[in-house]
Amino acid sequence: MSFLFGGRSSKTFKPKKNIPEGSHQYELLKHAEATLGSGNLRMAVTLPEGEDLNEWVAVNTVDFFNQINMLYGTITDFCTEESCPLMSAGPKYEYHWADGTNIKKPIKCSAPKYIDYLMTWVQDQLDDETLFPSKIGVPFPKNFMSVAKTILKRLFRVYAHIYHQHFDSVIQLQEEAHLNTSFKHFIFFVQEFNLIDRRELAPLQELIEKLTSKDR
């Protein structure tokens, strides 16, 4: 469980992705949690000295998947076919789903359906040992960074949907501090390694500027 949600409801949208205890990636996750605990998010996202960038991105991508999984899990009762017939992030942004394999042509679908497709797709990538090797000495594939960028770009859309369409529910559930801390951590991470194109971040640009301006 991510440190952000210690002792909270463990309802997740999809099963949590575990990093095997005792592995080097598990040690990296513990390092990330320890530095996050210090409260300095800018420092927490920097690549630890002597570590492999791919491995650092992999560990953090798994952690963001778990965080978003829990955040979305708290508001699934409010995100329904009726309340969210489209996957949107405010009036200007609408997302259509395609994964390039099962669904090649982008389809218009409700937000819960889109997020189900998205999280299942991410889970399949994280479970693929050829993409996300968990064993020491197994190299990351050459296309790893482009896969990680696609995962993070898509996970951002879940944050964007929650903020634009369900923030009232988040406040009602008293989860806004968790959502803001998680999103701020996510944004600092993708900014540090330039992992998401600025245009993709447009739906939450004002919020991003507000959350990051104090830490420049």
Side-chain angles (χ1 to χ4, degrees), residues 24 28 31 35 43-53 56 193:
H24 183 60
L28 272 181
H31 169 86
T35 49
M43 282 292 294
V45 298
T46 57
L47 179 67
E49 203 175 327
E51 293 298 345
D52 176 62
L53 178 59
W56 183 237
F193 302 107

Side-chain angles (χ1 to χ4, degrees), residues 41-77:
L41 288 174
R42 278 273 180 235
M43 282 292 294
V45 298
T46 57
L47 179 67
E49 203 175 327
E51 293 298 345
D52 176 62
L53 178 59
N54 285 342
E55 198 155 36
W56 183 237
V57 169
V59 165
N60 281 278
T61 300
V62 170
D63 194 38
F64 289 129
F65 168 78
N66 287 332
Q67 287 183 38
I68 292 167
N69 205 0
M70 292 193 78
L71 285 163
Y72 186 68
T74 63
I75 56 112
T76 46
D77 292 347

Side-chain angles (χ1 to χ4, degrees), residues 102-116:
N102 299 324
I103 300 171
K104 294 196 165 101
K105 197 175 171 194
I107 58 166
K108 197 182 264 208
C109 54
S110 68
K113 190 82 186 145
Y114 184 101
I115 293 169
D116 189 20

Side-chain angles (χ1 to χ4, degrees), residues 118-153:
L118 187 157
M119 297 299 268
T120 302
W121 176 83
V122 173
Q123 210 168 18
D124 290 345
Q125 311 309 301
L126 299 181
D127 287 341
D128 184 342
E129 278 288 326
T130 65
L131 281 177
F132 279 78
S134 59
K135 294 177 182 68
I136 287 178
V138 177
F140 283 84
K142 287 192 169 59
N143 67 333
F144 170 75
M145 209 49 91
S146 74
V147 172
K149 284 178 177 181
T150 304
I151 291 172
L152 293 165
K153 175 179 78 175

